[in-house]
Amino acid sequence: MLIREIRVTPVAFRDPPLLNAAGVHQPWALRTIVEVVTDEGLTGLGETYGDLPHLEQVRAAAAALTGLDVYHHNAVYAAVAASVGTDVVADMHGLTGVATQEKTVDRVFSPFEVACLDIRGKAAGRPVCDLLGGKVRDAVPYSAYLFYKWAGHPGGPDDGFGAALDPAGLVEQARLFVDRYGFRSIKLKGGVLPPADEVEAILALREAFPGHPLRLDPNAVWTAETSIRVGRELDGVLEYLEDPADGIDAMARVAADVPMPLATNMCVVSPRHLPPAVRQRAIGVLLIDHHYWGGLVRSSHFATLCDTFGIELSMHSNSHLGVSLAAMTHLAAATPSITHACDTHTPWQDGQDVVAPGALRFVDGAVPVPSGPGLGVELDRDALAVMNEQYEKCGIRSRDDATYMRSVVPSFSARRPRW
């Protein structure tokens, strides 16, 4: 079954002012929707980042894939690698670790691989999770993903989520998400306020939600010494502490002196990072992400490797739409070693999506695996057109949290470490 055409559509959707170690989310988040069309009339969907340097690589690779067989995974990967060449494309926020040529290829390849798996599932009349070994769970648990945030973007109206700049605001935000979606675990994006303030917030969340596992992610802006101090203060409170310090060496120092597992989506971001992380016992949990791990099949392979070395798994999230959520759900459903609730930004999109409603929903904090063939979702073409028009008009071409933050707080610095 040969690839006849590939459509690449950049989109933009409204994003709240979510604070993080790199700055603050801009008013518009960017994504790219990929449609792979075969000579037999089947179409598969993929979703990836929307930053312009990455979008240009995706467009170039799309032109090189026409005529390839959707079943020839290795040939598609080789064609993408040849298209990317020696280029290294980095994001501007630095929240997903170091950029490499290998990671650049994997990021570009991922949406095409997901689309090909969508097609193969549709051709076989089977869901994508069956192509990954079959589901081991009927629904995938996700966590409530909390952020410090302003009430609204500067100069704009307040959004429907409200401000969250102190423990009380975060508890209110958590209650909104738990009540609305049924989440049974909670993650706080830290690295925004001094560590003592974020410890206070975690303790307030523990008091308000005594039965919910909690995790804290300061995105590597603490020194090893600060990380150890905070880890000890939160003994018995956290499920895991995610990326407190920068790099495998610093994470290993921290891991040896704190009582909870350390997790990462920043210091282990390609297969070559795993041997030193294992050797130094730097991490106990890896947050996989098919968007930069080279798609669903490669992520599944890497999950098996992690299981071999006793590393537990969760899943990383960025601002995303429903095609990504469907792919994430199929991968997690078919990966036995994902034992921690996965991250998702879906609630922050507040109903904005490019997929037709009905296939994806939250039930008691989990997303049931779509039952249709392939990914089990279809595009809402009217919504896709609206979001593409928003992309053309919004004026943002790359995510840049730091520059946007400095437009409001000129003294802001995204340096690491900060505390």
Side-chain angles (χ1 to χ4, degrees):
M1 193 183 309
L2 305 182
I3 297 172
R4 186 187 71 201
E5 176 189 2
I6 298 178
R7 294 189 286 267
V8 177
T9 307
V11 297
F13 53 94
R14 295 190 181 279
D15 206 15
L18 306 180
L19 297 161
N20 58 71
V24 62
H25 285 206
Q26 296 156 283
W28 298 95
L30 308 179
R31 296 296 276 181
T32 300
I33 304 301
V34 169
E35 300 172 77
V36 173
V37 184
T38 71
D39 59 350
E40 295 185 18
L42 291 177
T43 298
L45 302 176
E47 179 184 334
T48 184
Y49 310 101
D51 291 4
L52 185 58
H54 178 69
L55 173 61
E56 290 173 340
Q57 290 280 7
V58 170
R59 283 172 167 159
L65 301 184
T66 303
L68 296 183
D69 193 320
V70 298
Y71 289 93
H72 290 177
H73 181 103
N74 294 329
V76 174
Y77 189 87
V80 170
S83 175
V84 171
T86 59
D87 288 353
V88 176
V89 175
D91 53 50
M92 299 180 72
H93 52 75
L95 300 179
T96 57
V98 65
T100 65
Q101 189 270 343
E102 176 186 27
K103 186 178 174 186
T104 300
V105 173
D106 286 347
R107 282 164 50 112
V108 175
F109 172 70
S110 176
F112 300 114
E113 184 249 25
V114 171
C116 287
L117 288 172
D118 189 20
I119 290 167
R120 289 158 62 178
K122 289 174 179 176
R126 306 300 292 265
V128 162
C129 59
D130 281 1
L131 307 183
L132 301 174
K135 64 183 179 180
V136 296
R137 50 186 68 89
D138 293 325
V140 173
Y142 287 90
S143 63
Y145 202 159
L146 309 185
F147 282 80
Y148 290 99
K149 68 177 294 293
W150 300 327
H153 286 282
D158 291 356
D159 59 42
F161 299 104
L165 297 169
D166 56 21
L170 289 169
V171 168
E172 183 179 353
Q173 184 185 107
R175 202 168 301 284
L176 171 68
F177 282 3
V178 169
D179 289 348
R180 184 176 295 177
Y181 298 97
F183 292 122
R184 297 180 178 179
S185 62
I186 297 171
K187 171 176 174 173
L188 173 61
K189 176 65 79 176
V192 175
L193 299 180
D197 293 356
E198 296 184 353
V199 168
E200 183 184 358
I202 288 291
L203 294 176
L205 289 166
R206 168 52 64 236
E207 182 178 357
F209 300 93
H212 284 61
L214 303 177
R215 36 327 255 261
L216 173 62
D217 174 17
N219 280 127
V221 296
W222 299 344
T223 64
E225 292 75 17
T226 298
S227 302
I228 292 167
R229 186 180 74 249
V230 171
R232 290 174 175 173
E233 288 180 29
L234 294 176
D235 185 9
V237 178
L238 290 182
E239 174 187 14
Y240 58 69
L241 178 58
E242 182 180 342
D243 285 311
D246 193 13
I248 290 172
D249 292 346
M251 289 280 283
R253 282 185 59 199
V254 177
D257 282 319
V258 297
M260 72 283 292
L262 297 190
T264 189
N265 74 280
M266 294 182 69
C267 74
V268 177
V269 295
S270 74
R272 70 184 63 190
H273 296 145
L274 189 60
V278 170
R279 189 165 52 246
Q280 298 182 55
R281 302 181 183 274
I283 62 170
V285 181
L286 178 68
L287 279 72
I288 60 173
D289 188 333
H290 77 272
H291 300 92
Y292 62 83
W293 279 101
L296 304 181
V297 172
R298 283 173 170 253
S299 295
S300 181
H301 291 170
F302 203 74
T304 303
L305 262 181
C306 289
D307 195 35
T308 300
F309 292 104
I311 295 173
E312 299 174 359
L313 295 180
S314 181
M315 188 176 288
H316 174 253
S317 167
N318 205 328
S319 297
H320 63 82
L321 296 168
V323 178
S324 283
L325 181 62
M328 293 159 63
T329 300
H330 280 282
L331 175 60
T335 307
S337 53
I338 293 181
T339 54
H340 299 272
C342 300
D343 293 351
T344 180
H345 284 60
T346 295
W348 293 110
Q349 272 55 86
D350 203 22
Q352 302 172 94
D353 213 338
V354 294
V355 302
L360 298 168
R361 67 192 191 283
F362 286 88
V363 179
D364 296 330
V367 175
V369 181
S371 59
L375 290 176
V377 299
E378 299 295 337
L379 280 180
D380 180 332
R381 295 211 166 271
D382 290 338
L384 181 68
V386 167
M387 289 195 189
N388 176 243
E389 183 178 6
Q390 289 171 175
Y391 173 85
E392 297 297 338
K393 292 180 176 179
C394 74
I396 296 173
R397 290 298 176 263
S398 289
R399 177 181 170 182
D400 187 355
D401 292 19
T403 298
Y404 184 50
M405 184 70 158
R406 281 192 286 268
S407 72
V408 181
V409 183
S411 62
F412 174 77
S413 171
R415 72 183 184 280
R416 294 203 299 257
R418 205 171 308 158
W419 287 285

